[in-house]
Amino acid sequence: MNNKDFIAELAKASNLTAKEASEMSEGIVQILAEQLCNDSDVNIQSFGSFEVKKKNERVVVSPITRQRMLVPPKLTLSFKPNAAIKDKFK
Amino acid sequence: MNNKDFIAELAKASNLTAKEASEMSEGIVQILAEQLCNDSDVNIQSFGSFEVKKKNERVVVSPITRQRMLVPPKLTLSFKPNAAIKDKFK
């Protein structure tokens, strides 16, 4: 399901126009992004929690050149589903 | 940030009451859950995609009893952030 279909479903379920539903969706993404940028986890009820995790720097060896390279540390967004949503996929 | 604070932020950003914002959030979670239960991925613009993945069954050996046990296959919800959101955490 692409973003357009998702917006259409959301509009239908919430009695909104497609434009309003799209704005809601963008608003939610923006709130999530802001909070996560501020190093705060975000927990959504009966769904799960989003968290920014730091991956440490590490050394990799290229199998071809045998050269050792340092991969810099990076921040990644991770999602952990909670029990309520996990139960639905049993 | 817990669910209550998230709802309060969402209400403020969208000019909704806390109750309406909570209903929106629940509606979105419900749409996601329905689609994912029907084996369909969901892609949210400038955020990422949710997908149900099947983990195969596997054999584990208990280090204490040395007993071999079969872990049954299971479905898990995974999230893959897309480029737009990854860029915010650089």
Side-chain angles (χ1 to χ4, degrees), chain A residues 43-73:
Chain A
N43 186 42
I44 312 277
Q45 209 163 40
S46 61
F47 192 55
S49 57
F50 293 95
E51 191 184 343
V52 175
K53 282 186 181 167
K54 192 188 168 201
K55 303 269 179 180
N56 284 327
E57 62 181 9
R58 63 203 167 90
V59 174
V60 293
V61 181
S62 158
I64 298 163
T65 62
R66 296 214 180 155
Q67 207 177 352
R68 291 159 67 89
M69 282 176 297
L70 187 69
V71 178

Side-chain angles (χ1 to χ4, degrees), chain A residues 8-78:
Chain A
E9 276 290 316
L10 179 60
K12 212 177 76 182
S14 329
N15 275 324
L16 297 173
T17 65
K19 188 161 172 277
E20 287 167 332
S22 172
E23 282 167 1
M24 280 302 298
S25 169
E26 276 165 30
I28 287 174
V29 168
Q30 211 177 335
I31 291 169
L32 287 174
E34 265 170 33
Q35 291 298 322
L36 292 164
C37 278
N38 292 335
D39 228 14
S40 162
D41 305 352
V42 181
N43 186 42
I44 312 277
Q45 209 163 40
S46 61
F47 192 55
S49 57
F50 293 95
E51 191 184 343
V52 175
K53 282 186 181 167
K54 192 188 168 201
K55 303 269 179 180
N56 284 327
E57 62 181 9
R58 63 203 167 90
V59 174
V60 293
V61 181
S62 158
I64 298 163
T65 62
R66 296 214 180 155
Q67 207 177 352
R68 291 159 67 89
M69 282 176 297
L70 187 69
V71 178
K74 64 176 172 184
L75 298 173
T76 58
L77 176 55
S78 79

Side-chain angles (χ1 to χ4, degrees), chain A residues 1, chain B residues 32 34-42 50-52:
Chain A
M1 182 187 233
Chain B
L32 288 173
E34 264 170 35
Q35 292 297 322
L36 293 164
C37 278
N38 291 335
D39 228 15
S40 163
D41 304 353
V42 181
F50 294 95
E51 190 184 344
V52 174

Side-chain angles (χ1 to χ4, degrees), chain B residues 4-71:
Chain B
K4 203 180 148 199
D5 296 337
F6 169 70
I7 295 296
E9 276 290 317
L10 179 59
K12 212 175 78 185
S14 329
N15 274 325
L16 296 173
T17 64
K19 189 162 170 277
E20 287 167 332
S22 171
E23 281 167 1
M24 280 302 297
S25 168
E26 275 165 32
I28 287 173
V29 168
Q30 211 177 335
I31 291 169
L32 288 173
E34 264 170 35
Q35 292 297 322
L36 293 164
C37 278
N38 291 335
D39 228 15
S40 163
D41 304 353
V42 181
N43 186 42
I44 312 276
Q45 207 161 40
S46 59
F47 192 56
S49 58
F50 294 95
E51 190 184 344
V52 174
K53 282 187 180 164
K54 193 189 167 198
K55 303 268 180 180
N56 283 328
E57 61 182 9
R58 62 200 168 92
V59 174
V60 294
V61 181
S62 158
I64 298 163
T65 62
R66 296 216 178 152
Q67 208 175 352
R68 291 160 68 89
M69 282 176 298
L70 187 70
V71 179

Side-chain angles (χ1 to χ4, degrees), chain B residues 76-89:
Chain B
T76 58
L77 176 55
S78 80
F79 169 70
K80 200 178 154 202
N82 67 18
I85 197 97
K86 275 185 191 169
D87 279 351
K88 296 195 180 174
F89 304 122

